[in-house]
Amino acid sequence: MCGIFAVVNDNSDNAAQTVLKGLKKLEYRGYDSWGIAVKPADKPALQVDKHIGKIGDANTDLPKGKIAIGHTRWATHGGVTDQNAHPHLDCNGRIAVIHNGIVENYRDLKDKLMKKGHRFSSQTDTETVAHLIENKKNSLKEAVFSTFNELTGSNAIGVLDYQSETVIAARNGSPLVVGFDKKNSQYFLGSDVPAFLKYTNRVYFLKDGEGVTISKAGVNLYDLYSGKRKEFTPQVLNWKLEDAEKSGYPHFLLKEIHEQKNTISGTASLNLNELKQVADLIRKKYKVVLTGCGTASYCALAGKYYLSNVGVESQTYPANEIMPFVRFIDKKTLFIAVSQSGETADTLIAVKAAKTRGAKTVALVNARGSTLERLTDIVLPVGAGPEIAVVSTKAFTAQLATLYLLSKALQGKISQAKQKLRKLQGEIKKLFTPIAIKHLIAIAKSLLDEEHIYLIGKHSNYPASLEFALKIKETSYLHAEPFAAGELKHGVITLIQKDTPCFILASNDESKEEVLSSASQLKARGGRIIGIAPFEAEEFDEVIKTPDLGDLTIFPNIIVGQLLGYYLGIGRGADPDKPRNLAKSVTVK
Ligand code: F6R
């Protein structure tokens, strides 16, 4: 939610262009507007360029310079206007501020500043930060840090001071990472690594309560509260540049869907000790609670079926609905949070609540260096690599594979599980053959003008249908509504008319006959029945055949949904990488 990027001592002497390129890599974090501030080489004042809309193919004619900051916005406070785009300046245009998060107490702070004569030119909470800093008499570093300490909420800020040619940044609850291109003595600040991966993979992820100063002389780290310098060691990530590039695919979404041909079995060789550790806790009768938001919550729900298959009872809650049930969490609870970004505000709040109840916490997370990673007792990084498309795909399947491995670890069958995941890896390639894609595109074309589609699934295909439907909604804006197959006859069947598209997600398992019986109820009302299953059936008018992988069949069933969503999105003129109104990591409540 909002992307921050800065370069200090830019080697090309064109810092604004470097920031523009970096922001394009962060556009997934928000695309309501974008803006850049540069300290020009030949002028004393900051120059700013701000625009509403996606940064996509945008250009800037900002002058050359060695230091610049930029921002891509997902609007929270203040509408989508040029004025509300970041960076925001103080009254004198001496400092520029970029911000990710929400300053919860900004009204109060703004009222006080206005009484002191500060002039505001936007409706944002962020601008308050610029004026607060301006209002302080101490050194700029101290002013930034003490201002930051006055803010409530989850925030990360970057401040560019034209006089000292320094970027000062601080973090509490929203991600910030520093990149070190030592060879060229240039430094970067970003909300995420892909913004500067082209230059360096040597990074330091700031922790909550830490601040940095970045100048051409180097990077200093501070404790925000005491103001004392801290030692730190950057880490070298094994991410490749291709991870942050489309590598020939028209969209990141399609690239990431295809990457699942490798990422699922990649996950299977990670976290083996941690999985055993978690399994041991479950054996010691810890009560399992799984949580997450959106796709991650569907992953948690699918995990519940896997755990049940091996005789373990668990509970799942969307993180944003967990509060009424937190009182049932105790010291004997194993609280598993699923998250791609590790920065989702609702998920972090749920984990914090579970911790205060004494629970043992586990993170199933894809991005590295996240807040969730630091909050939890046991971390299982699922290793799908950077997920740039807003819509989650490869992180979901890597997380689901990890939950599957956990269920098998409980049976002492982790090697067999790894083998099955390897087989799955081979089999899902069949979904991507030219013939299979042609068939999918034909089905997508036939659905382009529909307003509603319905999906049913039973048992583990129920969470699969939730995820399938979400992919369709996010990427194509088509109303896709999923139901547990057994729910149909309790009301929903009224919606079915002649030719209403109905997807039936099924596996060759104990639920097959029942789901087919639901399919025939839909057919009897005139529905167009499209099976997503490893078998043909007379109930289906059409079928997208998926590989028969037993309890892993939901993986290909879901991947079909990802692909169908992608092609529907293209056909309906949506931007598959940046669905309207969404942002990649939802760092606000
Ligand atoms: C859907 C999607 C969202 C996220 C949700 C949680 O494609 O991406 O529903 O799954 O916002 O995000 P993370 O997993 O980062 O906690």
Side-chain angles (χ1 to χ4, degrees):
M1 202 146 266
C2 294
I4 282 179
F5 184 50
V7 60
V8 176
N9 202 28
D10 180 67
N11 270 215
S12 66
D13 288 335
N14 214 339
Q17 298 301 336
T18 303
V19 168
L20 183 78
K21 284 184 211 135
L23 285 180
K24 289 182 182 183
K25 294 274 181 282
L26 292 182
E27 197 184 6
Y28 66 87
R29 302 184 68 86
Y31 29 90
D32 288 328
S33 62
W34 62 274
I36 299 172
V38 65
K39 157 79 190 4
D42 52 357
K43 288 197 191 80
L46 294 173
Q47 302 275 304
V48 180
D49 190 17
K50 315 205 270 193
H51 300 274
I52 58 166
K54 295 178 181 170
I55 197 167
D57 298 322
N59 292 313
T60 182
D61 47 18
L62 280 168
K64 289 190 159 197
K66 287 193 105 40
I67 183 164
I69 61 175
H71 185 268
T72 171
R73 177 170 187 242
W74 190 84
T76 57
H77 290 69
V80 180
T81 62
D82 285 353
Q83 287 95 329
N84 288 338
H86 303 209
H88 291 285
L89 303 183
D90 65 334
C91 295
N92 301 314
R94 189 177 66 100
I95 52 167
V97 177
I98 46 177
H99 167 224
N100 174 20
I102 291 182
V103 179
E104 288 173 358
N105 55 340
Y106 88 99
R107 277 179 215 288
D108 199 26
L109 297 168
K110 184 172 175 176
D111 286 348
K112 287 183 190 144
L113 288 161
M114 284 177 72
K115 280 188 193 129
K116 286 186 179 165
H118 287 266
R119 297 177 312 281
F120 281 75
S121 47
S122 78
Q123 289 80 49
T124 61
D125 50 341
T126 307
E127 194 182 348
T128 316
V129 180
H131 294 283
L132 266 179
I133 296 169
E134 177 189 14
N135 206 43
K136 310 238 176 209
K137 302 273 173 281
N138 31 12
S139 78
L140 191 77
K141 169 175 78 66
E142 285 159 7
V144 173
F145 291 175
S146 72
T147 293
F148 192 75
N149 290 338
E150 281 179 52
L151 313 180
T152 58
S154 291
N155 293 295
I157 59 167
V159 179
L160 167 58
D161 171 41
Y162 84 78
Q163 251 164 3
S164 61
E165 299 199 7
T166 307
V167 167
I168 303 170
R171 144 174 193 150
N172 181 30
S174 293
L176 270 186
V177 54
V178 179
F180 302 79
D181 179 7
K182 278 272 189 199
K183 199 168 97 214
N184 299 307
S185 300
Q186 58 180 351
Y187 305 97
F188 304 91
L189 174 78
S191 297
D192 202 354
V193 176
F196 54 74
L197 194 55
K198 185 172 160 190
Y199 308 97
T200 183
N201 59 353
R202 214 175 133 79
V203 304
Y204 178 76
F205 291 99
L206 265 74
K207 301 185 182 68
D208 283 349
E210 287 184 342
V212 276
T213 58
I214 312 173
S215 67
K216 67 178 176 202
V219 177
N220 289 324
L221 182 73
Y222 297 88
D223 178 283
L224 280 179
Y225 311 114
S226 67
K228 292 211 174 96
R229 278 265 310 264
K230 288 176 82 171
E231 293 303 315
F232 68 99
T233 316
Q235 57 175 296
V236 177
L237 297 175
N238 65 351
W239 291 3
K240 300 179 294 301
L241 180 57
E242 304 85 88
D243 292 335
E245 301 288 334
K246 287 186 200 152
S247 308
Y249 288 92
H251 296 99
F252 281 111
L253 181 60
L254 191 61
K255 174 185 174 230
E256 288 161 11
I257 294 172
H258 275 257
E259 280 174 349
Q260 293 171 112
K261 288 181 256 177
N262 299 313
T263 49
I264 301 174
S265 67
T267 307
S269 49
L270 302 174
N271 304 312
L272 296 182
N273 288 335
E274 291 77 6
L275 282 166
K276 284 185 188 140
Q277 208 184 336
V278 178
D280 278 346
L281 291 168
I282 299 176
R283 282 194 202 98
K284 286 183 188 149
K285 301 280 175 256
Y286 272 73
K287 176 175 71 191
V288 181
V289 175
L290 296 135
T291 199
C293 290
T295 284
S297 81
Y298 302 149
C299 181
L301 187 59
K304 181 180 186 169
Y305 285 83
Y306 281 141
L307 288 173
S308 174
N309 287 348
V310 299
V312 172
E313 190 195 348
S314 61
Q315 286 157 13
T316 48
Y317 301 97
N320 38 60
E321 274 301 326
I322 207 165
M323 282 309 156
F325 309 100
V326 161
R327 61 203 171 101
F328 303 117
I329 294 173
D330 58 21
K331 286 205 285 269
K332 265 306 221 182
T333 303
L334 185 70
F335 193 81
I336 305 180
V338 183
S339 176
Q340 189 291 126
S341 61
E343 300 292 349
T344 300
D346 291 322
T347 307
L348 297 176
I349 292 167
V351 171
K352 284 175 192 159
K355 277 173 84 89
T356 56
R357 304 278 313 162
K360 196 107 186 138
T361 52
V362 180
L364 239 80
V365 65
N366 186 44
R368 299 312 316 266
S370 69
T371 308
L372 184 63
E373 198 170 315
R374 277 195 290 274
L375 264 183
T376 42
D377 301 311
I378 304 172
V379 180
L380 284 79
V382 301
E387 201 181 60
I388 309 252
V390 167
V391 171
S392 187
T393 53
K394 61 176 180 168
F396 171 87
T397 46
Q399 286 160 338
L400 188 56
T402 308
L403 286 175
Y404 176 74
L405 285 164
L406 173 62
S407 70
K408 294 295 169 184
L410 281 156
Q411 290 184 310
K413 290 188 176 166
I414 209 150
S415 315
Q416 288 101 311
K418 281 174 70 171
Q419 247 171 30
K420 280 184 72 175
L421 285 168
R422 270 197 291 274
K423 178 170 178 221
L424 162 92
Q425 197 72 84
E427 290 289 316
I428 59 171
K429 294 198 173 120
K430 294 180 185 158
L431 301 175
F432 297 90
T433 62
I435 293 178
I437 295 293
K438 204 169 154 204
H439 183 206
L440 263 171
I441 291 176
I443 292 194
K445 276 190 178 157
S446 74
L447 294 169
L448 287 180
D449 297 325
E450 295 294 341
E451 281 184 32
H452 311 282
I453 66 173
Y454 297 95
L455 302 97
I456 59 166
K458 195 166 180 66
H459 298 174
S460 59
N461 275 293
Y462 170 56
S465 68
L466 298 180
E467 176 58 5
F468 193 118
L470 184 61
K471 295 307 95 162
I472 305 279
K473 285 184 270 199
E474 288 179 302
T475 44
S476 71
Y477 316 145
L478 209 160
H479 172 224
E481 198 158 347
F483 299 101
E487 276 296 306
L488 269 181
K489 52 189 179 294
H490 299 290
V492 184
I493 202 149
T494 53
L495 299 170
I496 309 305
Q497 304 175 62
K498 187 165 176 335
D499 295 331
T500 305
C502 303
F503 283 86
I504 317 296
L505 271 69
S507 300
N508 231 333
D509 61 11
E510 75 297 336
S511 67
K512 174 177 168 183
E513 292 312 320
E514 279 187 66
V515 86
L516 286 178
S517 147
S518 300
S520 61
Q521 292 164 20
L522 292 168
K523 199 175 166 98
R525 271 80 192 171
R528 172 184 168 197
I529 311 300
I530 308 166
I532 312 288
F535 52 81
E536 314 259 355
E538 61 181 21
E539 289 81 357
F540 298 156
D541 295 314
E542 296 140 83
V543 61
I544 300 176
K545 277 253 295 298
T546 48
D548 194 347
L549 295 163
D551 51 2
L552 294 178
T553 303
I554 61 168
F555 281 80
N557 285 359
I558 288 166
I559 293 171
V560 167
Q562 299 170 348
L563 284 164
L564 198 63
Y566 174 78
Y567 290 113
L568 270 169
I570 296 286
R572 286 166 62 91
D575 180 342
D577 282 346
K578 300 175 208 88
R580 68 184 176 209
N581 306 338
L582 285 178
K584 180 75 183 157
S585 60
V586 186
T587 52
V588 294
K589 274 193 265 181

Coordinates of all heavy atoms in Angstrom, one line a residue, residues 292-298 338-345 347 364-366 372 387 389-393 395-396 399 467 470-471 474 582-586, ligand 1:
G292 N -5.5 -15.4 8.0 CA -4.9 -14.7 6.9 C -6.0 -13.8 6.3 O -7.1 -13.9 6.8
C293 N -5.7 -13.0 5.3 CA -6.7 -12.2 4.7 C -6.8 -12.6 3.2 O -5.8 -12.9 2.6 CB -6.4 -10.8 4.7 SG -6.5 -10.1 6.4
G294 N -8.0 -12.5 2.6 CA -8.2 -12.7 1.2 C -7.7 -14.1 0.8 O -8.0 -15.1 1.4
T295 N -6.9 -14.1 -0.3 CA -6.3 -15.3 -0.8 C -5.6 -16.1 0.4 O -5.8 -17.3 0.4 CB -5.3 -15.0 -1.9 OG1 -6.0 -14.7 -3.0 CG2 -4.4 -16.1 -2.2
A296 N -4.9 -15.4 1.2 CA -4.2 -16.1 2.3 C -5.2 -16.8 3.3 O -4.9 -17.8 3.8 CB -3.3 -15.1 3.0
S297 N -6.4 -16.2 3.4 CA -7.4 -16.8 4.3 C -8.0 -18.1 3.6 O -8.3 -19.1 4.3 CB -8.5 -15.9 4.7 OG -9.4 -15.7 3.7
Y298 N -8.0 -18.1 2.3 CA -8.5 -19.3 1.6 C -7.5 -20.4 1.7 O -7.8 -21.6 1.8 CB -8.9 -19.0 0.1 CG -9.9 -17.9 0.0 CD1 -9.9 -17.0 -1.1 CD2 -10.9 -17.7 1.0 CE1 -10.9 -16.1 -1.2 CE2 -11.9 -16.7 0.8 CZ -11.9 -15.9 -0.2 OH -12.8 -14.9 -0.4
V338 N -0.9 -16.8 7.7 CA -0.5 -17.0 6.3 C -0.5 -15.6 5.6 O -1.5 -14.9 5.7 CB -1.5 -17.9 5.5 CG1 -1.0 -18.2 4.1 CG2 -1.7 -19.2 6.3
S339 N 0.6 -15.3 4.9 CA 0.6 -13.9 4.3 C 1.7 -13.9 3.2 O 2.8 -14.4 3.5 CB 0.9 -12.9 5.3 OG 1.1 -11.6 4.7
Q340 N 1.4 -13.4 2.1 CA 2.4 -13.2 1.0 C 3.4 -12.2 1.5 O 4.6 -12.4 1.5 CB 1.7 -12.8 -0.3 CG 2.6 -12.8 -1.5 CD 3.7 -11.7 -1.6 OE1 4.8 -12.0 -1.8 NE2 3.3 -10.5 -1.4
S341 N 2.8 -11.0 1.9 CA 3.7 -9.8 2.1 C 4.3 -9.8 3.5 O 5.3 -9.2 3.8 CB 2.9 -8.6 1.9 OG 1.8 -8.5 2.9
G342 N 3.5 -10.4 4.5 CA 3.9 -10.3 5.9 C 3.7 -8.9 6.4 O 4.2 -8.5 7.5
E343 N 3.0 -8.1 5.7 CA 2.7 -6.7 6.1 C 1.3 -6.3 6.2 O 0.9 -5.2 6.4 CB 3.4 -5.7 5.1 CG 4.9 -5.8 5.0 CD 5.7 -5.5 6.2 OE1 5.1 -4.9 7.1 OE2 6.9 -5.8 6.3
T344 N 0.4 -7.3 6.0 CA -1.0 -7.0 6.0 C -1.5 -6.6 7.4 O -1.3 -7.4 8.4 CB -1.8 -8.3 5.5 OG1 -1.4 -8.5 4.2 CG2 -3.3 -8.0 5.5
A345 N -2.0 -5.4 7.5 CA -2.3 -4.8 8.8 C -3.2 -5.8 9.6 O -2.9 -6.0 10.8 CB -3.0 -3.5 8.7
T347 N -3.7 -8.9 9.5 CA -3.0 -10.2 9.9 C -2.1 -9.9 11.1 O -2.0 -10.6 12.0 CB -2.3 -10.8 8.7 OG1 -3.2 -10.9 7.6 CG2 -1.7 -12.1 9.0
L364 N 3.7 -18.2 7.8 CA 3.9 -18.8 6.5 C 3.9 -17.6 5.5 O 2.9 -17.1 5.1 CB 2.7 -19.6 6.2 CG 3.0 -21.1 5.9 CD1 3.1 -21.7 7.3 CD2 1.8 -21.7 5.2
V365 N 5.1 -17.2 5.1 CA 5.2 -15.9 4.5 C 6.1 -16.0 3.2 O 7.0 -16.8 3.2 CB 5.8 -14.9 5.5 CG1 7.1 -15.2 6.0 CG2 5.7 -13.4 5.0
N366 N 5.9 -15.2 2.2 CA 6.7 -15.2 1.0 C 7.7 -14.1 1.0 O 8.9 -14.4 0.8 CB 5.8 -15.2 -0.2 CG 6.6 -15.4 -1.5 OD1 7.4 -16.3 -1.5 ND2 6.3 -14.5 -2.5
L372 N 5.8 -9.5 9.9 CA 5.3 -10.7 10.4 C 6.4 -11.7 10.7 O 6.3 -12.4 11.8 CB 4.4 -11.4 9.3 CG 3.7 -12.7 9.7 CD1 2.7 -12.4 10.8 CD2 2.9 -13.3 8.5
E387 N 6.6 -11.5 -5.6 CA 5.3 -11.6 -6.4 C 5.0 -10.1 -6.6 O 4.7 -9.3 -5.7 CB 4.3 -12.2 -5.5 CG 3.1 -12.8 -6.3 CD 2.1 -13.4 -5.4 OE1 1.5 -12.8 -4.5 OE2 1.8 -14.6 -5.6
A389 N 2.7 -9.0 -9.4 CA 1.3 -8.7 -9.7 C 0.5 -8.6 -8.4 O 0.8 -9.3 -7.5 CB 0.8 -9.9 -10.6
V390 N -0.4 -7.7 -8.5 CA -1.2 -7.5 -7.2 C -2.0 -8.7 -6.8 O -2.1 -9.1 -5.7 CB -2.2 -6.3 -7.5 CG1 -3.3 -6.2 -6.4 CG2 -1.4 -5.0 -7.5
V391 N -2.4 -9.5 -7.8 CA -3.2 -10.7 -7.6 C -2.2 -11.8 -7.2 O -1.3 -12.1 -7.9 CB -4.0 -11.1 -8.8 CG1 -4.6 -12.4 -8.7 CG2 -5.0 -10.0 -9.1
S392 N -2.5 -12.5 -6.1 CA -1.6 -13.5 -5.6 C -1.8 -14.8 -6.3 O -3.0 -15.3 -6.4 CB -1.8 -13.6 -4.0 OG -0.8 -14.5 -3.5
T393 N -0.7 -15.4 -6.7 CA -0.9 -16.7 -7.4 C 0.2 -17.7 -6.9 O -0.1 -18.6 -6.1 CB -0.7 -16.6 -8.9 OG1 0.5 -15.9 -9.2 CG2 -1.9 -15.8 -9.5
A395 N 2.5 -17.3 -4.7 CA 2.7 -17.4 -3.2 C 1.6 -18.2 -2.6 O 1.9 -19.0 -1.7 CB 2.6 -15.9 -2.6
F396 N 0.4 -18.2 -3.1 CA -0.7 -19.0 -2.6 C -0.4 -20.5 -2.7 O -0.5 -21.2 -1.8 CB -2.0 -18.7 -3.4 CG -3.1 -19.6 -3.1 CD1 -4.0 -19.4 -2.0 CD2 -3.3 -20.8 -3.8 CE1 -5.0 -20.3 -1.7 CE2 -4.3 -21.7 -3.5 CZ -5.2 -21.4 -2.4
Q399 N 2.3 -21.5 -0.3 CA 1.9 -21.6 1.0 C 1.0 -22.8 1.3 O 1.1 -23.5 2.3 CB 1.0 -20.3 1.4 CG 1.9 -19.1 1.6 CD 1.1 -17.8 1.4 OE1 0.1 -17.7 0.7 NE2 1.7 -16.7 1.9
E467 N -11.1 -19.4 -3.9 CA -9.9 -18.8 -4.5 C -10.1 -18.6 -6.0 O -9.7 -17.5 -6.5 CB -8.7 -19.7 -4.2 CG -7.4 -19.2 -4.8 CD -6.9 -17.8 -4.4 OE1 -7.5 -17.2 -3.6 OE2 -5.9 -17.4 -5.0
L470 N -12.2 -15.6 -6.5 CA -11.5 -14.3 -6.2 C -10.6 -13.9 -7.4 O -10.5 -12.7 -7.8 CB -10.7 -14.4 -4.9 CG -10.0 -13.1 -4.5 CD1 -11.1 -12.0 -4.2 CD2 -9.2 -13.4 -3.2
K471 N -9.9 -14.9 -8.0 CA -9.1 -14.6 -9.1 C -9.9 -14.0 -10.3 O -9.5 -13.1 -10.9 CB -8.4 -15.9 -9.7 CG -7.4 -16.5 -8.7 CD -6.3 -15.7 -8.2 CE -6.6 -15.1 -6.8 NZ -5.6 -14.6 -6.0
E474 N -11.0 -10.4 -9.3 CA -9.9 -9.4 -9.2 C -9.4 -9.0 -10.6 O -9.1 -7.9 -10.9 CB -8.7 -9.9 -8.5 CG -9.0 -10.1 -7.0 CD -7.8 -10.6 -6.3 OE1 -7.3 -11.8 -6.7 OE2 -7.2 -10.0 -5.4
L582 N -7.2 -1.8 -6.0 CA -6.5 -2.7 -5.1 C -5.0 -2.2 -5.0 O -4.5 -1.5 -5.7 CB -6.5 -4.1 -5.7 CG -7.7 -4.9 -5.6 CD1 -7.5 -6.3 -6.3 CD2 -8.1 -5.2 -4.2
A583 N -4.4 -2.7 -3.9 CA -3.0 -2.5 -3.8 C -2.4 -3.9 -3.3 O -3.1 -4.7 -2.7 CB -2.7 -1.5 -2.7
K584 N -1.1 -4.1 -3.5 CA -0.5 -5.4 -3.3 C -0.5 -5.7 -1.8 O -0.9 -6.8 -1.4 CB 0.9 -5.4 -3.8 CG 1.6 -6.7 -3.6 CD 1.1 -7.8 -4.5 CE 1.7 -9.2 -4.3 NZ 0.8 -10.2 -4.8
S585 N 0.0 -4.8 -1.0 CA 0.0 -5.1 0.5 C -0.8 -4.1 1.2 O -0.6 -2.9 1.1 CB 1.4 -5.3 1.0 OG 2.1 -4.1 0.9
V586 N -1.8 -4.6 1.9 CA -2.8 -3.8 2.6 C -2.4 -3.5 4.0 O -2.7 -4.2 4.9 CB -4.2 -4.5 2.5 CG1 -5.3 -3.5 3.0 CG2 -4.5 -4.9 1.1
Ligands
F6R1 C1 -5.7 -11.7 -3.8 C2 -4.8 -11.1 -2.9 C3 -5.3 -10.6 -1.6 C4 -4.2 -10.9 -0.5 C5 -4.6 -10.3 0.8 C6 -3.6 -10.7 1.9 O1 -5.2 -12.1 -5.0 O2 -3.7 -10.9 -3.2 O3 -6.5 -11.1 -1.2 O4 -4.1 -12.3 -0.4 O5 -4.6 -8.9 0.7 O6 -2.3 -10.3 1.6 P1 -1.0 -11.0 2.2 O7 -1.0 -12.4 1.7 O8 0.1 -10.2 1.7 O9 -1.2 -10.9 3.7

